[in-house]
Amino acid sequence: MSQIWIENGLFVTMDDSNPSFKGHMVVTNDRITYLGTESPQQLEGSVQKVDGNRMVFMPGLINTHGHAAMSLLRGYSDDQNLQVWLEQKMWPMEGKYVDQDTRAGSALAIVEMLRTGTTAFVDMYDRMDQVAQMVLQGGIRGILTRGVIGLCPQDVQEAKLVEAIAFARDWNGKADGRITTMISPHAPYTCPPAYIERFVQAAHDYDLPLHTHMSETLAEVEQNVKDYGVRPVEHLDRLGFFSRPALVAHAVHLHDSEIELLAAKGVSVSHNPVSNLKLASGIARVPELLRAGVTVSLGTDSVASNNNLDLFEEIRFAALLHKGVSGDPTAIPAMEALKLATVYGAKAIWQQDHIGSLREGMKADFIAIDLEQPHFYPKTDIISHLVYSGSGRDVKHVWIDGRQVVRNGECTLLDEEKIRYEAQASFERLLQA
Amino acid sequence: MSQIWIENGLFVTMDDSNPSFKGHMVVTNDRITYLGTESPQQLEGSVQKVDGNRMVFMPGLINTHGHAAMSLLRGYSDDQNLQVWLEQKMWPMEGKYVDQDTRAGSALAIVEMLRTGTTAFVDMYDRMDQVAQMVLQGGIRGILTRGVIGLCPQDVQEAKLVEAIAFARDWNGKADGRITTMISPHAPYTCPPAYIERFVQAAHDYDLPLHTHMSETLAEVEQNVKDYGVRPVEHLDRLGFFSRPALVAHAVHLHDSEIELLAAKGVSVSHNPVSNLKLASGIARVPELLRAGVTVSLGTDSVASNNNLDLFEEIRFAALLHKGVSGDPTAIPAMEALKLATVYGAKAIWQQDHIGSLREGMKADFIAIDLEQPHFYPKTDIISHLVYSGSGRDVKHVWIDGRQVVRNGECTLLDEEKIRYEAQASFERLLQA
């Protein structure tokens, strides 16, 4: 039995019944077994004590949309029109990927995510076995899905679907439950309707959730109307997509009726503010989505359109952007912004009973932030400081399933220097290939 | 004679004729005396060598609008309507400030700015002697001005103007030229027209530039029209404001004709994207301002509406926000965003011949950024990495006037622990006073 006692820390729990307090937390194996202002009762067996002074402890952050392996393409193409970026830059490079590149890119992303306080991430890509292997090694929590583009002959479509299902079935629950899986038609504009229906059927057959890109750009919405007579939300609804637990990424261009439908069907949204700004896709109607009761979470998307994986940055953009755009300085207050990346993030991936808040019985996925820094002074409102002044660089330690995966800013299970080197080598090979 | 030789660094110069290269830089006393790919010729006397490997060297960042002493109010009021924030929260606390509070708040701000790579900052506040003292101590470059609110009896107005002029004259050129000064009516809505004219006259008499807040909110613009029959730009122009070198902060709500007038009169703008979003003031028309030839620079405003002083964040917001809002992913490319905080910042404060780029003969105000971090891999486009992935937390060393003011992330001339302690003590006293 492994036990950790965090002594005299400031705890930001994201549990509304007990939002923050100065006190103690005990972790036994992979779970939080005590939280309180008083010292815990005598603990049996050996206990690792952690001095919590000068630190704030909070739930690990949850990144609900990304493509980790694309980390190799950071800075490779910026400030371009979407079509040039995608068709002339991203796709040709991605087409040259071999397993080692996917592994190298995923490893780099996992290092960056862990160091900046992300403890769980959604990943949609191909060669997902490679990504899953890196999740296993890095100690992070992964919600993984093989993203399938269906613009191909029927036999290739068939093979991809079989692969996506096989991956989802093989890996679901692996790594002591740290890995869960979904299945994913890439987007309504890259998958014919009949093909999307096959995914919906498979999701029913194998009891899997669905994930896809939806209504990211106006052009895509207009094309959907042209091709199928309806906008993407109604299109996916007709195809049965929302009859399963579903997480949609982006959801930038929505009418009121579409927001209502997403709320009614319990669809989760991954809001990707930085990526949407960088690619000039638009600004999602997050205040309206939240008011309608939709579960909104945060994603970075890939670094190719971000260009980093620091979820504190998405939190800050979410808190600030929607104030400026709506003209309402009370839109998305600090606590709500922090929830997007924690409790709502957990709910978006159907894991709110395990992660996203610090409560007794929950999984011990938490981070420690160094408070002794000028940008956290004076000590006024800790939630405000985390949202408006904090950064992933302030993260000092990270635990997932009770295991310390980052210590003093360095990953404990991964060789960071080797990973940086291999990412560079992969990128150079892709350039020349 | 003091000499520093930066060996084998990557230099991002912000000089269009030689944007970036791997090589060497020599600093002699307060100036850059050599920049090149080859090792410098034999240097006479003692030379401090700095191993530049794994680091990028670039000009220090320039923050063109802020109120340093308000650092004490970080997190004290967020997510509020502007009037509540200002009238019920900020003004009552600011009204209780004594000299020690201004000093404590300014010191905290200077520590945060230096550590995050800002080497020059514009500050508009009162008790400016205290701010100037801290600039002297901290080794930073300050462009300082006593901001005057003129909603008071004529004798008080008179005393404030005298004080503002005296401060500007006493301190201009002090600290080996690191301090320059301006004079500042706070805003058209807080100073009667006749009073603003007194500042304009004084600016002529004493050869000083002018700084003010302008067109930050729509309400303020509409009130200006109601009170004076014209919008703020025309109002200030009629009062002669633009007959002097002038820097205006915010400039959010502008018509095309106002942009043209600012361009024609050579007025500099301090764009404060985070503050404008947080207070829901709106989104400045930065792409249009730049196209018109207006010098646009970046400011944080105070931490009470930000809530941090990391100028890398303003750079990133400027690069991303205007893409998303305009729908044009090529708006404000990375290099242009970086210029806002360097060359354009220097031009905005009329110091482009001294600072803002690395060139032989320029002042040695520069920063070193640690590149051996996952978010800077793979090594592709360094400008993109700085803008879209970089952070003030990546700054390792800072030099101003050839003197190292930050070493390994810590201020060399200031006692950071004492400053944090004093900021906390001041805040607690203000709360109780």
Side-chain angles (χ1 to χ4, degrees):
Chain A
M1 188 175 70
S2 138
Q3 283 191 120
I4 306 166
W5 173 5
I6 312 284
E7 291 185 290
N8 298 310
L10 175 59
F11 293 87
V12 168
T13 65
M14 304 312 293
D15 171 3
D16 286 337
S17 69
N18 179 29
S20 75
F21 67 93
K22 181 95 187 160
H24 304 265
M25 181 165 83
V26 177
V27 170
T28 307
N29 298 325
D30 62 339
R31 303 253 171 205
I32 298 168
T33 48
Y34 174 79
L35 263 183
T37 53
E38 303 296 315
S39 288
Q41 297 296 311
Q42 206 172 343
L43 299 171
E44 289 171 28
S46 72
V47 178
Q48 183 206 344
K49 286 190 182 184
V50 175
D51 179 4
N53 272 302
R54 306 170 153 231
M55 286 193 277
V56 62
F57 296 84
M58 62 173 287
L61 306 181
I62 299 168
N63 185 342
T64 60
H65 184 67
H67 315 283
M70 289 180 78
S71 287
L72 296 185
L73 304 177
R74 190 195 320 264
Y76 174 64
S77 174
D78 299 298
D79 309 327
Q80 296 281 3
N81 286 306
L82 183 66
Q83 292 315 311
V84 175
W85 176 78
L86 196 63
E87 292 171 17
Q88 293 177 30
K89 291 290 191 167
M90 293 299 122
W91 286 351
M93 285 291 266
E94 289 180 282
K96 293 187 262 178
Y97 268 51
V98 297
D99 281 358
Q100 165 59 17
D101 302 315
T102 302
R103 218 156 47 232
S106 304
L108 183 67
I110 289 169
V111 166
E112 192 187 350
M113 286 192 278
L114 287 175
R115 283 169 55 123
T116 53
T118 290
T119 54
F121 75 112
V122 168
D123 203 61
M124 180 210 275
Y125 211 61
D126 59 4
R127 301 176 193 276
M128 289 303 295
D129 287 320
Q130 305 301 323
V131 182
Q133 290 290 353
M134 287 313 310
V135 169
L136 207 55
Q137 278 182 47
I140 198 167
R141 198 175 295 282
I143 303 86
L144 310 180
T145 179
R146 203 290 194 205
V148 176
I149 293 182
L151 306 171
C152 49
Q154 208 172 342
D155 59 327
V156 183
Q157 278 189 357
E158 189 62 30
K160 284 181 173 182
L161 177 59
V162 166
E163 181 199 323
I165 294 168
F167 171 78
R169 298 192 68 199
D170 288 351
W171 283 94
N172 208 7
K174 287 288 174 2
D176 302 320
R178 281 189 287 110
I179 294 178
T180 56
T181 57
M182 307 185 282
I183 54 173
S184 295
H186 171 271
Y189 68 95
T190 55
C191 291
Y195 194 41
I196 294 178
E197 285 179 316
R198 301 280 313 276
F199 281 84
V200 172
Q201 187 57 50
H204 279 287
D205 293 346
Y206 301 106
D207 193 20
L208 293 165
L210 288 160
H211 181 38
T212 197
H213 297 95
M214 189 193 76
S215 305
E216 181 176 3
T217 67
L218 196 57
E220 163 202 334
V221 172
E222 286 168 352
Q223 191 61 46
N224 205 96
V225 173
K226 211 175 275 178
D227 292 345
Y228 309 117
V230 288
R231 294 166 60 90
V233 174
E234 192 176 341
H235 179 62
L236 285 175
D237 189 40
R238 285 184 186 181
L239 299 175
F241 203 86
F242 305 138
S243 66
R244 293 294 308 162
L247 169 65
V248 295
H250 302 300
V252 173
H253 298 278
L254 297 178
H255 286 170
D256 288 351
S257 60
E258 294 178 284
I259 292 175
E260 280 164 35
L261 196 141
L262 293 176
K265 299 279 180 172
V267 178
S268 316
V269 166
S270 178
H271 173 42
N272 296 191
V274 170
S275 173
N276 295 158
L277 289 175
K278 184 152 185 279
L279 299 176
S281 305
I283 294 164
R285 300 175 61 194
V286 173
E288 291 89 339
L289 283 162
L290 289 168
R291 266 199 298 276
V294 174
T295 299
V296 181
S297 57
L298 291 176
T300 52
D301 210 347
S302 90
V303 297
S305 61
N306 190 301
N307 297 351
N308 69 77
L309 299 175
D310 181 351
L311 213 60
F312 279 94
E313 197 169 299
E314 305 295 329
I315 293 170
R316 181 136 67 248
F317 268 88
L320 292 171
L321 182 60
H322 302 291
K323 291 179 174 60
V325 168
S326 68
D328 175 7
T330 71
I332 312 195
M335 181 56 104
E336 188 78 351
L338 209 52
K339 284 183 177 176
L340 298 177
T342 52
V343 272
Y344 300 168
K347 203 174 165 201
I349 55 168
W350 314 283
Q351 296 197 34
Q352 67 270 32
D353 295 335
H354 307 294
I355 59 173
S357 58
L358 303 183
R359 279 185 285 139
E360 290 174 12
M362 299 285 276
K363 288 276 192 180
D365 286 16
F366 63 104
I367 65 180
I369 290 163
D370 178 8
L371 284 180
E372 280 306 299
Q373 303 192 73
H375 57 276
F376 289 139
Y377 268 81
K379 291 172 182 164
T380 47
D381 179 342
I382 181 65
I383 302 296
S384 161
H385 284 3
L386 290 170
V387 169
Y388 296 119
S389 306
S391 154
R393 275 83 160 181
D394 300 327
V395 173
K396 198 173 161 104
H397 309 304
V398 178
W399 288 264
I400 296 173
D401 259 0
R403 178 163 64 164
Q404 187 159 8
V405 292
V406 172
R407 182 177 294 122
N408 293 316
E410 300 266 340
C411 292
T412 59
L413 305 174
L414 297 170
D415 183 340
E416 293 193 18
E417 192 174 349
K418 180 161 172 268
I419 286 168
R420 290 198 303 271
Y421 176 86
E422 288 181 348
Q424 186 67 28
S426 265
F427 173 71
E428 287 172 11
R429 197 197 58 75
L430 289 173
L431 262 190
Q432 284 153 17
Chain B
M1 188 175 73
S2 139
Q3 283 191 119
I4 306 166
W5 173 5
I6 312 284
E7 291 185 290
N8 299 310
L10 175 60
F11 293 87
V12 167
T13 65
M14 304 313 293
D15 171 2
D16 286 337
S17 69
N18 179 28
S20 74
F21 66 94
K22 181 95 187 160
H24 304 265
M25 181 165 83
V26 176
V27 171
T28 307
N29 298 326
D30 62 339
R31 302 253 171 205
I32 297 167
T33 48
Y34 174 79
L35 262 183
T37 52
E38 302 297 313
S39 289
Q41 297 297 311
Q42 206 170 345
L43 300 170
E44 289 171 28
S46 73
V47 178
Q48 183 206 343
K49 287 191 182 184
V50 175
D51 178 5
N53 271 303
R54 305 171 154 232
M55 286 192 276
V56 61
F57 297 83
M58 62 172 288
L61 306 181
I62 299 168
N63 185 343
T64 60
H65 184 67
H67 316 284
M70 289 180 78
S71 286
L72 296 185
L73 303 177
R74 190 195 321 264
Y76 175 63
S77 174
D78 299 299
D79 310 325
Q80 296 281 2
N81 286 305
L82 183 66
Q83 291 315 309
V84 175
W85 175 79
L86 195 64
E87 292 171 15
Q88 293 177 32
K89 291 290 192 166
M90 293 299 121
W91 286 351
M93 285 291 266
E94 289 181 281
K96 293 188 260 177
Y97 268 51
V98 297
D99 282 357
Q100 165 59 18
D101 302 315
T102 302
R103 217 156 48 233
S106 304
L108 183 67
I110 289 170
V111 166
E112 191 187 350
M113 286 191 279
L114 287 175
R115 282 168 56 122
T116 52
T118 290
T119 54
F121 75 112
V122 168
D123 203 60
M124 180 210 276
Y125 212 60
D126 59 3
R127 302 175 193 276
M128 288 303 296
D129 287 318
Q130 305 302 321
V131 182
Q133 290 289 354
M134 287 314 309
V135 169
L136 207 55
Q137 279 182 47
I140 198 167
R141 199 174 293 282
I143 303 86
L144 310 180
T145 178
R146 202 292 193 203
V148 176
I149 294 181
L151 306 171
C152 49
Q154 208 172 340
D155 58 327
V156 183
Q157 278 190 356
E158 189 61 30
K160 283 181 173 183
L161 177 59
V162 167
E163 182 199 322
I165 294 168
F167 171 78
R169 298 193 66 200
D170 288 351
W171 283 95
N172 208 8
K174 287 287 174 0
D176 302 319
R178 280 189 287 110
I179 295 178
T180 55
T181 58
M182 307 185 282
I183 53 172
S184 295
H186 171 271
Y189 67 95
T190 56
C191 291
Y195 193 41
I196 293 178
E197 286 179 315
R198 301 280 312 277
F199 281 84
V200 172
Q201 188 56 51
H204 279 288
D205 293 347
Y206 301 106
D207 193 21
L208 292 164
L210 288 160
H211 181 39
T212 197
H213 298 94
M214 188 192 76
S215 305
E216 181 176 2
T217 67
L218 196 57
E220 163 202 334
V221 173
E222 287 168 351
Q223 191 61 46
N224 205 94
V225 173
K226 211 175 274 178
D227 291 346
Y228 308 118
V230 289
R231 294 165 61 90
V233 174
E234 192 176 342
H235 180 62
L236 285 176
D237 188 41
R238 285 183 186 181
L239 299 174
F241 203 86
F242 305 137
S243 66
R244 293 294 309 161
L247 168 66
V248 295
H250 302 301
V252 174
H253 299 278
L254 297 178
H255 286 169
D256 289 350
S257 60
E258 294 177 286
I259 292 175
E260 280 163 36
L261 196 142
L262 294 175
K265 299 279 180 170
V267 178
S268 316
V269 166
S270 178
H271 173 43
N272 296 190
V274 170
S275 174
N276 295 158
L277 289 175
K278 184 151 184 279
L279 298 176
S281 305
I283 294 163
R285 299 176 60 195
V286 173
E288 291 88 339
L289 282 162
L290 288 168
R291 267 199 296 275
V294 174
T295 299
V296 180
S297 58
L298 291 175
T300 53
D301 210 348
S302 90
V303 298
S305 61
N306 191 301
N307 298 348
N308 69 76
L309 299 175
D310 181 352
L311 213 60
F312 279 94
E313 198 169 299
E314 305 295 328
I315 294 170
R316 181 136 68 247
F317 268 87
L320 292 171
L321 182 60
H322 302 291
K323 291 179 175 59
V325 169
S326 69
D328 175 8
T330 71
I332 312 195
M335 181 56 104
E336 188 77 350
L338 209 52
K339 284 184 175 176
L340 298 176
T342 53
V343 272
Y344 299 167
K347 203 173 167 205
I349 54 168
W350 315 283
Q351 296 197 35
Q352 68 271 31
D353 295 335
H354 307 293
I355 59 173
S357 59
L358 304 183
R359 279 184 286 139
E360 289 175 12
M362 300 285 275
K363 288 275 193 180
D365 286 17
F366 63 103
I367 65 180
I369 289 164
D370 177 9
L371 284 180
E372 279 306 301
Q373 302 191 75
H375 57 276
F376 289 139
Y377 269 80
K379 291 172 180 163
T380 46
D381 179 342
I382 182 65
I383 304 296
S384 161
H385 284 3
L386 290 170
V387 169
Y388 296 119
S389 306
S391 153
R393 273 82 160 183
D394 301 326
V395 173
K396 196 171 161 110
H397 309 305
V398 178
W399 288 263
I400 296 173
D401 259 358
R403 178 163 64 163
Q404 188 159 8
V405 292
V406 172
R407 182 178 294 122
N408 294 317
E410 300 266 340
C411 291
T412 60
L413 305 174
L414 297 170
D415 182 341
E416 293 194 19
E417 193 174 350
K418 182 162 171 268
I419 286 168
R420 289 199 303 271
Y421 176 86
E422 289 181 348
Q424 186 68 27
S426 264
F427 173 70
E428 287 172 11
R429 198 198 57 74
L430 289 172
L431 260 190
Q432 283 153 17

